[in-house]
Amino acid sequence: MKIFEGYQKGVDLGGWLSQGSYDREHLDTFITKKDIEKIASWGCDHVRLPIDYNIFETDEGELKNDGFEYLDKALEWCKEYKLNVLIDVHKVYGYSFYSGDGQEGFFDNEDLQERFYKWWERLSKRYGKLSDRVAFELLNEVNDKELSPKWNKIAEKAIKVIRKDSPDVKIVLGSYWNNSIDALADLDKPYDDNIIYNFHCYDPFMFTHQGAYWVDEMPQDFRIGYPGDIKDYRESAKATGLTRIQDYLDVPDSGFDPSYFEKRFAYGISVCKERDVAMYCGEYGVIDRADPKEILKWYKEINAAFKKYGIGRAAWNYKEKDFGLSDERMAGVIDELINYL
């Protein structure tokens, strides 16, 4: 399988130019040059940098300079510390992976799609020439399976727009079900040799999202350990009435260990080998409700599978956003955990 060179070990910078406050005080302080220095000291080779349209454009589509100011600054910091950057468009006008953002209509509105192409044209003209240290991710987490045919058409047109100015920049592309590895086969075959298939992994969901306030039916006080036996997870789901969560437990009865992640990735790997495309996990991580020592075990086991198959990855998240690796609660394990990013 191809390797996504330069993007093998990274972290996400969620909460800064995406999924955070858009006021200047936050943008000026949430991520600074010192954070980039720390990430480089962890042995990372890149950061995945989510961006929202709100910082770059008005709702009417007029350009604002603020977003480019911060993005340019981030690229300069990363250049200084020899980190590559994956620019991830996390939210566009008309679509967000999070329904609470109130964005809708993108997949059925040609005007919104044209705005999306224009947005990528601007990004490509400005950053495509930096293909030796910058890559592009078209759009974060398409949710619904029925959107797949529409998304394939939109993605192809966006890629063609980018290629006019950036013939060799790497373009990262994910499928439906929130970038599920099980949906990779429904992506169209790679447009060219510089396409990367992307997936996200938060398995086992009951562990990585225990107590998550945004998950339907999830009690705020629900806790479960890792690795545990799959029987424990199923019984806990049943006892607490988490009927929806049980859908995430289609895993071997043997439970969770490094072989679980190898088996979990096997289908996606076969798709990528068949299509001669590199594989990348743009998000993986564990919620801050879990015990840090058990989070460490999880990172160690998933990392073994990533490294065995040469899968590039970026851990969610560097700071805060309910998954922060640099947060104080992780102080007792972070020095060891960074070996398993």
Side-chain angles (χ1 to χ4, degrees):
M1 187 171 66
K2 280 185 176 179
I3 302 298
F4 190 10
E5 298 289 354
Y7 297 83
Q8 287 293 292
K9 178 177 179 176
V11 293
D12 282 277
L13 295 181
W16 184 31
L17 306 184
S18 172
Q19 291 182 276
S21 171
Y22 300 134
D23 67 71
R24 184 164 287 274
E25 181 180 1
H26 172 80
L27 296 174
D28 284 343
T29 60
F30 189 77
I31 295 294
T32 68
K33 185 176 178 179
K34 288 184 177 180
D35 294 302
I36 302 303
E37 181 182 16
K38 178 183 286 188
I39 292 168
S41 76
W42 286 357
C44 293
D45 61 5
H46 77 286
V47 296
R48 177 175 180 256
L49 179 52
I51 61 174
D52 290 349
Y53 82 89
N54 312 68
I55 305 177
F56 300 84
E57 300 177 338
T58 66
D59 284 349
E60 293 72 32
E62 296 178 3
L63 282 180
K64 299 190 293 184
N65 291 323
D66 290 2
F68 290 112
E69 172 188 335
Y70 291 106
L71 187 48
D72 289 347
K73 189 181 298 184
L75 289 171
E76 283 303 309
W77 293 339
C78 288
K79 180 180 180 182
E80 180 176 346
Y81 289 102
K82 297 180 173 56
L83 292 173
N84 295 325
V85 180
L86 174 58
I87 299 174
D88 155 48
V89 170
H90 224 66
K91 182 170 71 170
V92 295
Y93 190 78
Y95 182 74
S96 170
F97 78 101
Y98 174 53
S99 60
D101 284 335
Q103 298 293 327
E104 57 185 18
F106 172 72
F107 290 95
D108 296 304
N109 187 311
E110 291 186 2
D111 289 339
L112 295 183
Q113 291 164 23
E114 287 299 325
R115 179 168 169 173
F116 178 68
Y117 306 140
K118 184 65 175 179
W119 173 229
W120 270 114
E121 182 179 37
R122 288 167 176 158
L123 288 173
S124 181
K125 286 182 179 296
R126 191 175 183 109
Y127 303 112
K129 60 182 178 292
L130 305 177
S131 58
D132 60 326
R133 59 188 180 94
V134 171
F136 294 154
E137 182 174 342
L138 286 186
L139 184 63
N140 179 69
E141 292 191 347
V142 175
N143 289 334
D144 300 328
K145 182 177 182 179
E146 57 266 28
L147 296 175
S148 183
K150 298 176 182 178
W151 172 230
N152 277 324
K153 291 179 181 179
I154 292 169
E156 180 179 354
K157 189 166 182 179
I159 291 168
K160 290 179 178 178
V161 168
I162 292 170
R163 287 291 175 247
K164 292 177 181 178
D165 297 291
S166 310
D168 62 350
V169 71
K170 295 293 191 293
I171 299 175
V172 173
L173 183 63
S175 194
Y176 55 84
W177 290 336
N178 302 91
N179 284 15
S180 171
I181 195 170
D182 300 317
L184 288 181
D186 285 337
L187 288 171
D188 283 347
K189 291 185 178 180
Y191 178 77
D192 57 33
D193 292 337
N194 288 307
I195 303 299
I196 313 295
Y197 278 3
N198 180 26
F199 73 101
H200 293 173
C201 183
Y202 291 102
D203 297 331
F205 192 84
M206 287 180 65
F207 173 70
T208 67
H209 281 67
Q210 56 188 283
Y213 58 86
W214 62 90
V215 176
D216 293 343
E217 301 183 357
M218 176 67 76
Q220 298 294 289
D221 60 352
F222 180 78
R223 298 292 182 272
I224 197 164
Y226 184 86
D229 190 283
I230 187 59
K231 181 179 178 181
D232 297 335
Y233 284 78
R234 288 177 175 145
E235 289 181 350
S236 295
K238 184 177 180 180
T240 53
L242 300 179
T243 55
R244 177 176 178 269
I245 304 304
Q246 291 184 73
D247 294 338
Y248 291 93
L249 297 180
D250 184 19
V251 296
D253 289 335
S254 58
F256 300 100
D257 57 29
S259 68
Y260 162 72
F261 288 108
E262 291 181 24
K263 294 171 184 175
R264 187 72 184 92
F265 298 159
Y267 175 68
I269 290 170
S270 68
V271 172
C272 290
K273 284 184 176 180
E274 178 185 347
R275 300 184 184 183
D276 194 28
V277 61
M279 192 173 181
Y280 178 74
C281 182
E283 291 183 19
Y284 69 104
V286 182
I287 197 168
D288 56 11
R289 281 68 163 172
D291 185 295
K293 292 181 179 179
E294 295 185 343
I295 293 175
L296 174 63
K297 294 177 186 176
W298 184 88
Y299 268 92
K300 185 175 183 178
E301 294 191 351
I302 196 171
N303 177 263
F306 285 146
K307 293 188 71 174
K308 181 173 181 178
Y309 296 104
I311 300 171
R313 63 271 181 192
W316 187 272
N317 189 45
Y318 168 68
K319 182 180 181 182
E320 298 181 15
K321 301 307 298 177
D322 302 296
F323 289 76
L325 290 171
S326 64
D327 297 354
E328 183 59 32
R329 67 186 178 84
M330 299 297 291
V333 300
I334 191 61
D335 288 345
E336 181 178 357
L337 190 149
I338 60 176
N339 297 313
Y340 306 119
L341 293 175

